[in-house]
Amino acid sequence: MTDHILRMRGITKSFPGVQALRDVNLSVRRGEIHAICGENGAGKSTLMKVLSGVYPYGSYTGEILFDGEECRFSGIRDSERRGIVIIHQELALCPQLSIAENIFLGNERATRGLIDWNRTNHEAGLLLERVGLHENPVTPVSELGVGKQQLVEIAKALAKRVRLLILDEPTAALNDDDSAHLLDLLRGLREDGITCVIISHKLNEVTAIADSITILRDGQVIETLDTAKDEVTEDRIIAGMVGRDLTQRFPPRANRPRPGTGAEALRIEDWTVHDPTRGRPVLSGVNLTLRRGEIVGLAGLMGAGRTELAMSVFGRAYGTRISGRLYKDGRPIEVRTVRDAIRHGIAYATEDRKRYGLNLIEDIKRNISAAALGKLARRGWVDDNEEYRVADGFRRDLNIKAPSVLAVTGQLSGGNQQKVVLAKWMFTDADVLILDEPTRGIDVGAKYEIYTIINRLADEGKAILVISSELPELLGLCDRIYALSAGRITGEVTREEATQERLMQFMTATTSSGT
Amino acid sequence: MTSISSPDAAVGGAERRSPEPRRPARLPRLSLNLRQSGIYVAFAAIVVFFAVITDGALLQPQNISNIIVQNSYILILAIGMILIIIAGHIDLSVGSVVAVTGAIAAVLMVNHDVPWPLAVLITLVAGGLIGAWQGYWVAYFGIPAFIVTLAGMLLFRALTLTVLGNQGIGPFPDEVRTLANGFTDGYLGNVGLGPLGGADLVSLLVGAAVIAGMFVTQWRARTGRLRYGQQVEPLPLFLLRLALAAAVIAFVVVQLARFRNLPWVLILLFALVLGYSLFTNRAVAGRQIYAIGGNLQAAVLSGVKVKAIVFWLFVNMGVLSALAGIIFAGRLNQAGPTAGNAFELDAIAAAFIGGAAVQGGVGKVVGAVTGGLIMGVINNGMSLIGAPSERVMLVKGAVLLAAVAFDVWTKRRAATAVR
């Protein structure tokens, strides 16, 4: 009999009108790394919320056995007392507080109600060492990158004497370097006897690190794989997740242009941008050309300046002391505001659609029209019916899954939200589309649809720049790929020449380890 | 609503589950509609309640007229305020701006004998400049509106005292008093309405025209939507809704026609509500206010001129405050140093009772005006039954809290319906 630290039996959880989990059984062995895979909406996060007491006992049916004892958590503090700690996808740190304060938040090192700062900072230092983060504990968290913040979260969990650590999409926002570091750390924790449950979309990481993999679909467990015994491949996991064989992750593209043949759409020359708060250059002397009918990739590690490049070109939405030249269809253009950019046919779909891309409390219709409302107006008055017709056209065309365009975008799944963002920019009649992480946080099936749309836009003669942290995505989608490292273009490869190794070399070229 | 046991149970319009979220729209839409329409139901309930406990005194011709005239300036402020709140800001200075613009108008008309139309124009421009001052700090300098207008509240109160030299100035010319307090003339005389007695013909005709206009525009909107293949509410429901609205309008107009015809401020209010509703629903700039309040960053990255729009919203608020200032001073026939005290609170409360969301991005002009009327009816009804002012305050506070609690509750319910 194997030693299970956790057994969840017959977990069923309903929301009004939806059954999120149906008779789910999950057994986690002591000291293993257990991955949970599934498409968005499959019930992964719900299951973890049940486990951690976010959904208290009584709001679900079934039982949770932790260390063989039945647990009836009434809240997250309850589960934490038992050593179950969850780290959510959206990090829950207070940016203005120091690392040490964050680590011991709600768990303060205090004597008689007064915080012992020496002890706090000293113990924080020890924990930081353990997670391999070389920072001063008094540094405010806001000065750290996402990767380091993730480590602070783990240190925070360790401070609570964690025994079962749950990580929800821990590497979604991390670049490959930081991800690798994080995975190493998890392996280290495993040796210390800490059990990990990790939810991830990144299947290569899952297969690399997990001891067991549980696949969820539509709120039910499809199967649990043991990587020591079963033959585990990414394709097998995907097949389990989507319930069908996804023979190809990328749609075929019939008429790929030969490199360098399309008409030039946008040329960026000697583009230099400075950080608005610290004043140091984030991009220096970048040259980049986009051609019609071509999908161009932009690879780079976190902090290389990918988003900064896109946003500074898009009407100087980022950066100060910007210098350089822009050419549209061969002619020099001045782009000083976002409106200028839109007028010149440039579109930018942000990497964070919820924070920067969509008005989540508004319906699909009004989100699609938001960037080109003038097109629907006569003398300043918007034609509601025309707006509906346009939006409904996009809904059908892009297969946005919603009962009607009057559905609120905040209620849509990630893939459908992304389609709304794409529709919004398609409606501006842009012929240069910069898509920043177009498939982040989107499930496999929806990714395929997004790729299909991108292909179609290119076939229509638009120039497309795709920014992505996932190299396989760039390799599968793009005709040509630029690599950006520390604010400089360090390489440019065609589809044929491109390999992950080659790109990684460019992406890490001249990168100083820095702060 | 608690969780249900079977996914197929048809509760709250729940759909059968399917792997891709087909479920989203129905439930939240229902609560959204509740959020927007609940206010009218609440208003009707409050009116009926006070009509009953005052033995119908609430709905007497003179009292209806009083409610409108006494609350007109708050309603005007509420219109400007809801726009600012939709954009995610706030204006705490409107009470002081009412005072200072009233004082400016008084000094011009009473002390300097400036002809009243010119004086009104100058006062409105002054209000606009005050709004521009605050709009600059909020939109272009980036100081939170709460702070800017809190400072404005003190600044413009100080300015009021300076302009007035610490004393009330009056009386105002008749025309201004008529605008604030007066009624349309009976140009066509009276007609008999049987047991109801005589009523002003012009008022009745205006009322009939408003009802007819409402029917025509609503019908055209409906057929327009049908032509585009959109869903519309079932015809009987549509007609019932219109008939109800028509009945309310007819009742109010008949009562007013029996008393002293239509108050001028009612006509002014009607024009403002119509104009601003059209602006927020249909104008490009008006629609962009919602985009700004809904997600500021997304609006910026969609090319919305956020700074300019916020700036002009404050200018607009200043002009409307000046209008309210003139009407308030005209009604009292004097501009006083304490004029407009706590008006900002009534205007803000009206907006939130009327369905504005605390975070911005949601709200309607008609809702804000209804919210203002709810408070007006509570004020009026409670004074009719002789309740002391502390109890009126208590009830108003409770209503405000309940309205916002309702808003937060519907939002939370919508949020938990997903995943």
Side-chain angles (χ1 to χ4, degrees):
Chain A
M1 186 73 196
T2 14
D3 179 19
H4 285 119
I5 186 169
L6 172 75
R7 300 174 75 109
M8 298 177 81
R9 285 208 294 242
I11 303 291
T12 296
K13 165 86 187 159
S14 306
F15 296 109
V18 193
Q19 198 167 19
L21 294 173
R22 253 189 284 196
D23 193 22
V24 168
N25 294 305
L26 177 72
S27 297
V28 179
R29 291 173 294 183
R30 192 178 305 280
E32 73 166 348
I33 296 179
H34 192 120
I36 297 182
C37 299
E39 290 194 306
N40 287 343
K44 302 166 300 205
S45 298
T46 309
L47 184 64
M48 291 305 108
K49 284 178 180 169
V50 167
L51 173 56
S52 59
V54 173
Y55 298 132
Y57 178 77
S59 68
Y60 59 89
T61 58
E63 60 176 356
I64 301 173
L65 297 172
F66 190 69
D67 272 339
E69 274 175 56
E70 193 186 349
C71 297
R72 298 180 170 186
F73 299 130
S74 60
I76 198 151
R77 285 192 78 99
D78 235 12
S79 62
E80 283 185 353
R81 210 168 296 135
R82 295 297 301 266
I84 301 176
V85 178
I86 184 164
I87 298 177
H88 292 282
Q89 191 174 354
E90 283 91 20
L91 299 180
L93 297 172
C94 304
Q96 316 302 339
L97 297 186
S98 73
I99 295 176
E101 283 172 291
N102 268 292
I103 288 178
F104 293 111
L105 193 64
N107 182 21
E108 284 80 5
R109 301 291 110 141
T111 36
R112 286 187 294 276
L114 294 177
I115 291 179
D116 182 342
W117 285 110
N118 288 331
R119 221 179 113 207
T120 301
N121 290 330
H122 174 70
E123 287 185 24
L126 295 179
L127 290 167
L128 289 184
E129 215 162 283
R130 207 170 150 202
V131 299
L133 178 58
H134 307 290
E135 292 282 347
N136 191 334
V138 298
T139 311
V141 161
S142 56
E143 290 181 16
L144 305 179
V146 197
K148 290 179 175 175
Q149 292 190 11
Q150 185 74 260
L151 297 177
V152 174
E153 281 274 17
I154 293 175
K156 184 175 169 183
L158 293 176
K160 292 173 185 163
R161 304 195 181 286
V162 60
R163 298 176 56 224
L164 176 66
L165 180 63
I166 305 166
L167 299 121
D168 191 352
E169 294 278 3
T171 60
L174 303 192
N175 61 42
D176 288 354
D177 257 8
D178 284 346
S179 299
H181 179 82
L182 185 76
L183 297 182
D184 276 344
L185 175 61
L186 295 185
R187 288 191 188 98
L189 294 180
R190 174 168 58 185
E191 267 151 42
D192 297 345
I194 294 174
T195 314
C196 281
V197 171
I198 151 170
I199 295 177
S200 181
H201 274 133
K202 295 192 181 171
L203 300 183
N204 56 342
E205 291 176 4
V206 168
T207 48
I209 194 173
D211 301 302
S212 307
I213 301 169
T214 295
I215 301 168
L216 283 180
R217 184 171 81 227
D218 299 345
Q220 287 175 301
V221 173
I222 301 302
E223 58 179 341
T224 296
L225 304 169
D226 183 336
T227 52
K229 283 184 265 170
D230 302 307
E231 195 199 327
V232 177
T233 61
E234 290 185 32
D235 286 342
R236 178 167 177 181
I237 301 174
I238 291 174
M241 279 164 56
V242 299
R244 64 193 141 95
D245 269 327
L246 205 63
T247 45
Q248 289 170 302
R249 264 194 268 175
F250 299 94
R253 182 144 169 251
N255 34 353
R256 273 187 199 283
R258 276 182 293 123
T261 52
E264 177 184 301
L266 183 73
R267 188 162 86 241
I268 302 167
E269 267 188 15
D270 200 20
W271 196 252
T272 298
V273 177
H274 292 80
D275 185 310
T277 48
R278 293 179 209 173
R280 61 181 172 77
V282 280
L283 291 164
S284 7
V286 169
N287 293 302
L288 192 145
T289 306
L290 304 180
R291 296 179 181 282
R292 290 185 178 278
E294 196 183 28
I295 303 174
V296 176
L298 183 62
L301 300 173
M302 191 71 63
R306 299 167 308 177
T307 297
E308 290 81 356
L309 174 61
M311 287 184 69
S312 59
V313 169
F314 188 62
R316 310 194 169 191
Y318 169 88
T320 53
R321 289 196 282 140
I322 298 172
S323 64
R325 293 172 299 281
L326 295 179
Y327 298 87
K328 177 79 194 300
D329 301 323
R331 282 187 297 276
I333 53 169
E334 272 294 313
V335 181
R336 304 201 148 267
T337 63
V338 171
R339 294 172 73 84
D340 288 347
I342 294 173
R343 197 165 47 239
H344 284 297
I346 302 172
Y348 170 63
T350 65
E351 59 176 333
D352 190 337
R353 58 183 167 268
K354 289 190 177 180
R355 271 173 68 194
Y356 301 122
L358 291 171
N359 181 352
L360 295 170
I361 59 173
E362 197 60 271
D363 59 25
I364 295 175
K365 174 171 67 102
R366 290 192 169 197
N367 270 288
I368 289 179
S369 66
L373 205 49
K375 274 179 72 183
L376 293 167
R378 259 169 306 176
R379 275 169 289 163
W381 299 103
V382 179
D383 184 339
D384 271 351
N385 291 324
E386 194 57 23
E387 182 182 36
Y388 182 94
R389 193 184 61 78
V390 165
D392 204 51
F394 278 112
R395 181 179 70 83
R396 288 163 204 269
D397 191 21
L398 304 187
N399 191 25
I400 298 169
K401 284 167 195 135
S404 85
V405 293
L406 302 178
V408 176
T409 51
Q411 316 282 357
L412 302 178
S413 71
N416 287 310
Q417 287 182 345
Q418 190 66 25
K419 289 180 198 166
V420 174
V421 172
L422 289 176
K424 166 167 132 180
W425 291 112
M426 287 162 75
F427 184 54
T428 63
D429 295 326
D431 44 17
V432 173
L433 288 104
I434 305 172
L435 310 177
D436 199 347
E437 300 284 359
T439 65
R440 171 176 289 172
I442 291 179
D443 61 57
V444 180
K447 275 186 182 178
Y448 191 89
E449 289 186 86
I450 299 284
Y451 297 144
T452 311
I453 296 169
I454 293 175
N455 280 349
R456 200 187 88 193
L457 290 171
D459 289 345
E460 286 168 6
K462 303 193 188 313
I464 301 196
L465 180 67
V466 175
I467 300 173
S468 177
S469 298
E470 289 179 47
L471 292 181
E473 176 169 283
L474 292 177
L475 295 173
L477 191 64
C478 299
D479 302 315
R480 193 155 56 89
I481 302 172
Y482 287 100
L484 193 64
S485 173
R488 291 172 196 279
I489 296 284
T490 49
E492 179 190 350
V493 290
T494 61
R495 179 178 182 79
E496 287 71 31
E497 302 163 339
T499 61
Q500 293 210 36
E501 291 71 23
R502 185 128 186 233
L503 284 175
M504 195 48 95
Q505 268 174 9
F506 288 134
M507 285 157 62
T508 49
T510 70
T511 315
S512 56
S513 54
T515 46
Chain B
M1 193 189 291
T2 53
S3 59
I4 52 167
S5 52
S6 155
D8 297 336
V11 176
E15 298 206 28
R16 275 167 189 257
R17 57 171 283 107
S18 55
E20 258 304 307
R22 289 231 355 195
R23 61 187 119 96
R26 289 267 190 105
L27 238 170
R29 243 197 110 59
L30 190 79
S31 46
L32 202 80
N33 287 344
L34 198 62
R35 184 152 120 206
Q36 295 292 0
S37 62
I39 173 78
Y40 307 110
V41 178
F43 181 50
I46 287 169
V47 168
V48 169
F49 174 76
F50 279 108
V52 169
I53 66 165
T54 59
D55 285 330
L58 186 85
L59 299 178
Q60 285 307 307
Q62 177 169 1
N63 199 52
I64 289 185
S65 179
N66 279 347
I67 292 176
I68 292 164
V69 174
Q70 283 167 2
N71 290 290
S72 56
Y73 33 90
I74 296 294
L75 299 183
I76 291 172
L77 293 174
I79 293 173
M81 190 65 78
I82 186 87
L83 301 189
I84 286 186
I85 288 175
I86 292 170
H89 294 283
I90 195 91
D91 191 341
L92 300 175
S93 70
V94 294
S96 296
V97 179
V98 162
V100 75
T101 48
I104 291 170
V107 168
L108 288 174
M109 288 187 247
V110 180
N111 294 3
H112 295 283
D113 292 323
V114 177
W116 74 269
L118 183 62
V120 166
L121 186 70
I122 294 173
T123 308
L124 294 180
V125 169
L129 288 175
I130 288 171
W133 159 263
Q134 304 201 106
Y136 166 77
W137 291 111
V138 175
Y140 293 103
F141 206 83
I143 304 178
F146 188 90
I147 304 298
V148 171
T149 57
L150 185 62
M153 186 176 171
L154 298 170
L155 288 175
F156 301 119
R157 184 63 64 184
L159 206 58
T160 310
L161 297 176
T162 313
V163 170
L164 290 177
N166 247 331
Q167 57 188 9
I169 296 181
F172 277 88
D174 286 346
E175 292 87 348
V176 174
R177 289 170 57 199
T178 307
L179 173 68
N181 239 348
F183 300 83
T184 53
D185 276 332
Y187 308 100
L188 299 178
N190 279 9
V191 289
L193 288 181
L196 294 176
D200 174 47
L201 185 57
V202 173
S203 307
L204 295 178
L205 288 176
V206 168
V210 166
I211 291 173
M214 179 182 75
F215 265 94
V216 170
T217 50
Q218 292 281 320
W219 183 257
R220 276 173 48 183
R222 184 185 163 87
T223 49
R225 282 193 183 173
L226 281 172
R227 207 168 40 245
Y228 276 83
Q230 299 183 47
Q231 274 199 335
V232 291
E233 57 191 337
L235 190 63
L237 195 67
F238 172 78
L239 290 176
L240 180 72
R241 197 166 55 78
L242 280 187
L244 268 175
V248 170
I249 295 172
F251 176 78
V252 171
V253 168
V254 166
Q255 293 293 64
L256 290 174
R258 284 172 61 201
F259 178 54
R260 287 175 58 187
N261 312 351
L262 298 177
W264 280 109
V265 286
L266 179 63
I267 295 171
L268 179 68
L269 264 173
F270 180 75
L272 288 175
V273 170
L274 207 63
Y276 278 96
S277 290
L278 202 60
F279 175 73
T280 50
N281 285 333
R282 297 279 312 279
V284 171
R287 291 273 303 269
Q288 288 177 337
I289 301 172
Y290 289 89
I292 293 171
N295 187 340
L296 178 64
Q297 300 298 338
V300 170
L301 289 174
S302 299
V304 174
K305 288 191 209 160
V306 171
K307 289 178 180 174
I309 287 180
V310 170
F311 174 80
W312 285 106
L313 281 180
F314 276 93
V315 172
N316 174 67
M317 184 79 249
V319 174
L320 287 178
S321 301
L323 186 60
I326 294 166
I327 288 172
F328 183 69
R331 203 172 100 73
L332 296 188
N333 207 6
Q334 189 192 46
T338 60
N341 244 345
F343 278 14
E344 61 278 349
L345 302 181
D346 281 340
I348 292 167
F352 284 121
I353 292 174
V358 186
Q359 289 86 358
V362 177
K364 283 203 152 106
V365 170
V366 178
V369 169
T370 310
L373 282 174
I374 284 180
M375 288 204 304
V377 168
I378 291 173
N379 265 337
N380 180 276
M382 293 191 73
S383 72
L384 284 181
I385 57 171
S389 65
E390 65 264 26
R391 201 171 303 159
V392 179
M393 242 183 258
L394 189 83
V395 170
K396 278 162 69 179
V399 167
L400 173 62
L401 192 64
V404 176
F406 179 71
D407 170 62
V408 172
W409 178 70
T410 49
K411 209 175 295 166
R412 184 178 312 142
R413 212 178 48 152
T416 50
V418 221
R419 312 232 142 83

